[in-house]
Amino acid sequence: RLKQGSVGTSQAALSNGGSQPRTFTFAALPESLSQMQALPEAALDDPFQTAALTVCALCVYAADANIGTEMLNWLRGPRPLGNYDISFLNDRFRDGKFYVPFSYFKGAVPENDYTPTQPYTLTVETNPYSDANPGYKKLFIRSGGADNAREVVLRMRGDGKWFLWDQFILVGIKEPKSADPWA
């Protein structure tokens, strides 16, 4: 049974606009859209929540493109995935690169073939340019297989809900140890 996700955030971080890193912990990853929508983060009333759920949805997409598409479409709100977006996602997971979205969880590194520690924990951060465009927020998540954090861009709808606008987290990372012919 899926346990509810929980957010580790200080009250000070929330009151100053979320400029502190926010850590999200999931006892298990959601396996359906309804399980995702049952999580506390599914309120989508802050961009950090939407960014964290995006990683979860991409992990699901790696296992089941149909369910992952449902989740991503829900996270994108009034702007569902188009043919180009779906082609891009399918291309990213071609050649067995299903480990890439898991690399954003704590403990997932090339040496352990990107196996996250459980519970699943990830941290979403800001930088000085996170709020450069009004109505949008650029957040960053670190991968255990990359030197630099990768970005997720969120857009706020008129009702204050934050939706996925774009993600740049499915880019190349270091190969897992099991894929290294010299290991």
Side-chain angles (χ1 to χ4, degrees):
R1 176 164 149 60
L2 175 71
K3 287 182 134 183
Q4 297 286 319
S6 64
V7 180
T9 305
S10 69
Q11 206 48 32
L14 289 174
S15 64
N16 70 9
S19 63
Q20 299 297 315
R22 300 268 307 276
T23 299
F24 295 85
T25 301
F26 302 94
L29 296 180
E31 297 178 4
S32 68
L33 178 57
S34 61
Q35 285 181 358
M36 178 176 274
Q37 290 171 330
L39 294 170
E41 294 82 6
L44 305 182
D45 55 7
D46 114 14
F48 292 83
Q49 295 171 334
T50 308
L53 291 178
T54 297
V55 175
C56 294
L58 290 170
C59 288
V60 171
Y61 193 98
D64 186 314
N66 291 328
I67 297 172
T69 298
E70 286 180 356
M71 290 177 171
L72 290 167
N73 282 339
W74 180 72
L75 289 170
R76 289 171 60 99
R79 195 172 143 257
L81 293 168
N83 290 335
Y84 173 80
D85 301 308
I86 292 169
S87 178
F88 174 82
L89 289 169
N90 291 337
D91 184 55
R92 295 296 131 210
F93 291 118
R94 198 164 282 127
D95 301 325
K97 302 219 185 259
F98 303 114
Y99 55 84
V100 174
F102 289 94
S103 76
Y104 292 91
F105 289 106
K106 183 179 177 185
V109 293
E111 292 74 27
N112 67 10
D113 291 335
Y114 296 108
T115 304
T117 4
Q118 291 192 23
Y120 297 90
T121 303
L122 62 86
T123 300
V124 181
E125 305 171 338
T126 59
N127 79 9
Y129 305 102
S130 288
D131 296 308
N133 297 312
Y136 294 84
K137 185 127 183 141
K138 189 182 292 187
L139 298 174
F140 299 85
I141 307 173
R142 297 197 175 274
S143 164
D147 294 332
N148 298 312
R150 307 303 167 86
E151 67 185 63
V152 179
V153 181
L154 300 309
R155 183 176 181 181
M156 187 172 63
R157 193 168 62 186
D159 61 0
K161 301 285 184 190
W162 288 90
F163 293 94
L164 174 63
W165 186 254
D166 209 350
Q167 60 81 19
F168 301 95
I169 61 177
L170 291 180
V171 295
I173 60 173
K174 296 173 188 158
E175 291 287 324
K177 187 174 183 177
S178 65
D180 182 355
W182 299 100

